[in-house]
Amino acid sequence: MADFQSPLSFPLAIALLCVSSFGCICAHRVGFTVDLIHRDSPLSPFYNSEETDLQRINNALRRSISRVHHFDPAAAASVSPKAAESDVTSNRGEYLMSLSVGTPPFKIMGIADTGSDLIWTQCKPCEGCYKQVDPLFDPKSSKTYRDFSCDARKCGLLEQSSCSGNICQYQYSYGDQSYTMGNVASDTITLDSTAGSPVSFPKTVIGCGHENGGTFSEKGSGIVGLGAGPLSLVSQMGSSVGGKFSYCLVPFSSRAGNSSKLNFGGSAVVSGPGVQSTPLLSSKTMSTFYVLTLEAMSVGNERIKFGGSSSGTGEGNIIIDSGTTLTIVPEDFFSDFSSAVGNQVHGQRAEDPSGSLSVCYSATSDLKVPAITAHFTGADVKLKSINTFIQVSDDVVCLAFAPTASGISIYGNVAQMNFLVGYNIQGKSLSLKPTDCTKK
């Protein structure tokens, strides 16, 4: 039994300009690190200084419900009807990263999304686009920009592509009815390393969006796909980073003065005492998502079997996603799990003022919450209270899990905070190591 810790209360990277095969090899061996900015951080263009920390957390919970659309359009309404009706701008994730497109480099701030593949930004001419505060990328100004022809092999990698004037066109739509359409092209992508020197990847496939709309925020420039599909940023980096990336997400309480970190190549290796590793599975029907097998959850000494199956994943039963705040689980499992939690929490039950979460308690100094462990195949991940409970008001904390009638289960970012989470795509493994992410 542990006291509740209120959420309100990376190796040195040498960045090299990857403009040659030698540079790419060095980026793999040495690695590099970039800042991963939470959308509610003061460093984010989405930051609203008039909101309180609690308002930001509640907005994140509502976005979490909305994001389930991204994985299954039929799922979101089954998570929490009350929360699904909330007025909130949908988005494809909770974290942003700065990168540049083209030669000379043109800086954009894109949403880093482990649930998407394509890297895309709004491009000129853009008459059918959503309003964007920052300037639009003009492909004519880049010396290295090239449109793909319809018979190009890269054009065939897109699930939804078409042809217009022998230029390959893409079309992506999201569960909340947002969409992006434009040219499939290649250009140089440059990342700002925390070590000070930029790292560039020539001939990266991107989407140059000429018609985009829906619920995209005017303060965003596009999406940086970090998914498992062939066109994601990580997949296109390929051997230059050895198929490895990792991140360390700082807790809610630390976001004002700290950014999370996203590591690539040698800097992304997760090793040392406390590391737990589990197979990283590939989905046969939804290749974008990273899928794990969660065998059970323990609440204290009580083990609750997790029998859920992520719809369409083929293998495994839960998607790990940095862009979903809550952990989403099947209704029958949630019933057993929340009952076990309720039996072991020493505290007074309370109501979530927003109605988003159902298992809540008064945030008193004597509140005791049980130890919870996630049992993945080959990995027993011991979670702390900041991973399992979230403060939703000055005097209420809630279990950071939500039930769904859909087959989609998601291991959300609250459960991943203060863990170094490493993805080894080539080695097909995911590793988690308890880490103070404010010091990485």
Side-chain angles (χ1 to χ4, degrees):
M1 195 71 66
D3 292 328
F4 170 73
Q5 300 175 14
S6 169
L8 295 180
S9 13
F10 292 101
L12 178 63
I14 300 176
L16 298 171
L17 187 64
C18 188
V19 294
S20 66
S21 59
F22 175 76
C24 291
I25 291 171
C26 287
H28 171 197
R29 291 177 178 173
V30 180
F32 61 97
T33 298
V34 302
D35 286 321
L36 197 58
I37 303 167
H38 192 272
R39 59 171 292 138
D40 288 329
S41 162
L43 301 174
S44 164
F46 295 103
Y47 180 73
N48 182 350
S49 61
E50 296 182 356
E51 290 181 338
T52 66
D53 287 340
L54 290 172
Q55 286 174 323
R56 295 184 185 105
I57 288 174
N58 278 286
N59 288 339
L61 297 182
R62 290 193 289 270
R63 289 193 301 268
S64 186
I65 301 301
S66 175
R67 182 166 166 78
V68 182
H69 279 100
H70 181 72
F71 299 96
D72 183 357
S78 68
V79 177
S80 173
K82 189 171 183 179
E85 294 170 1
S86 300
D87 183 16
V88 60
T89 299
S90 301
N91 70 91
R92 264 62 22 208
E94 290 292 292
Y95 294 88
L96 301 101
M97 59 184 291
S98 174
L99 73 161
S100 297
V101 181
T103 307
F106 181 88
K107 189 174 293 292
I108 66 172
M109 181 72 79
I111 293 174
D113 188 5
T114 53
S116 293
D117 281 341
L118 189 65
I119 308 160
W120 69 266
T121 188
Q122 294 204 117
C123 294
K124 293 181 178 180
C126 210
E127 296 179 0
C129 292
Y130 63 89
K131 181 182 178 182
Q132 179 177 308
V133 173
D134 292 334
L136 301 182
F137 173 62
D138 185 354
K140 292 182 180 179
S141 68
S142 173
K143 299 177 182 179
T144 47
Y145 178 92
R146 300 289 185 274
D147 286 317
F148 280 110
S149 64
C150 298
D151 58 358
R153 184 181 65 85
K154 296 293 178 65
C155 186
L157 295 176
L158 289 154
E159 292 183 2
Q160 298 183 31
S161 61
S162 59
C163 191
S164 176
N166 199 34
I167 295 177
C168 182
Q169 305 276 299
Y170 76 92
Q171 178 177 345
Y172 267 48
S173 59
Y174 301 90
D176 61 0
Q177 307 307 309
S178 297
Y179 61 89
T180 175
M181 294 183 285
N183 293 4
V184 182
S186 71
D187 209 337
T188 297
I189 294 292
T190 303
L191 303 179
D192 293 329
S193 167
T194 57
S197 299
V199 185
S200 295
F201 295 88
K203 298 181 180 180
T204 301
V205 179
I206 64 169
C208 201
H210 295 291
E211 187 172 344
N212 319 291
T215 60
F216 298 112
S217 169
E218 64 181 17
K219 296 180 180 179
S221 305
I223 306 292
V224 183
L226 295 173
L231 293 181
S232 77
L233 177 62
V234 179
S235 295
Q236 291 196 69
M237 287 178 176
S239 60
S240 65
V241 296
K244 297 182 180 70
F245 75 99
S246 66
Y247 51 73
C248 208
L249 306 181
V250 300
F252 287 118
S253 59
S254 306
R255 287 178 181 161
N258 299 277
S259 63
S260 298
K261 302 299 179 186
L262 178 62
N263 314 295
F264 295 95
S267 294
V269 174
V270 180
S271 60
V275 174
Q276 297 283 324
S277 298
T278 186
L280 190 60
L281 306 173
S282 58
S283 164
K284 297 178 181 178
T285 57
M286 295 192 297
S287 62
T288 296
F289 308 133
Y290 296 106
V291 186
L292 310 175
T293 299
L294 180 62
E295 297 178 348
M297 297 281 288
S298 288
V299 181
N301 294 324
E302 183 176 353
R303 185 181 176 105
I304 301 99
K305 183 179 179 181
F306 189 86
S309 174
S310 282
S311 170
T313 58
E315 293 185 72
N317 57 14
I318 192 165
I319 295 166
I320 182 169
D321 179 43
S322 64
T324 303
T325 301
L326 300 171
T327 292
I328 310 296
V329 295
E331 287 182 330
D332 55 350
F333 173 81
F334 181 81
S335 177
D336 294 340
F337 177 69
S338 60
S339 294
V341 171
N343 290 336
Q344 298 190 44
V345 168
H346 295 169
Q348 182 178 355
R349 287 297 292 262
E351 295 290 328
D352 176 6
S354 71
S356 299
L357 300 175
S358 59
V359 181
C360 304
Y361 299 89
S362 296
T364 57
S365 59
D366 59 348
L367 177 65
K368 302 288 185 179
V369 298
I372 294 177
T373 302
H375 301 285
F376 295 100
T377 300
D380 296 323
V381 181
K382 296 180 179 180
L383 304 175
K384 295 184 178 180
S385 60
I386 62 167
N387 305 119
T388 54
F389 284 83
I390 190 167
Q391 189 159 358
V392 297
S393 72
D394 289 334
D395 54 2
V396 176
V397 298
C398 297
L399 187 66
F401 289 70
T404 176
S406 164
I408 299 293
S409 298
I410 304 170
Y411 192 70
N413 64 45
V414 169
Q416 301 175 57
M417 290 176 183
N418 269 356
F419 280 90
L420 182 58
V421 183
Y423 295 70
N424 185 339
I425 298 172
Q426 294 179 2
K428 296 182 179 181
S429 68
L430 180 128
S431 298
L432 301 100
K433 179 181 181 180
T435 303
D436 183 350
C437 293
T438 64
K439 297 180 180 179
K440 295 299 292 182

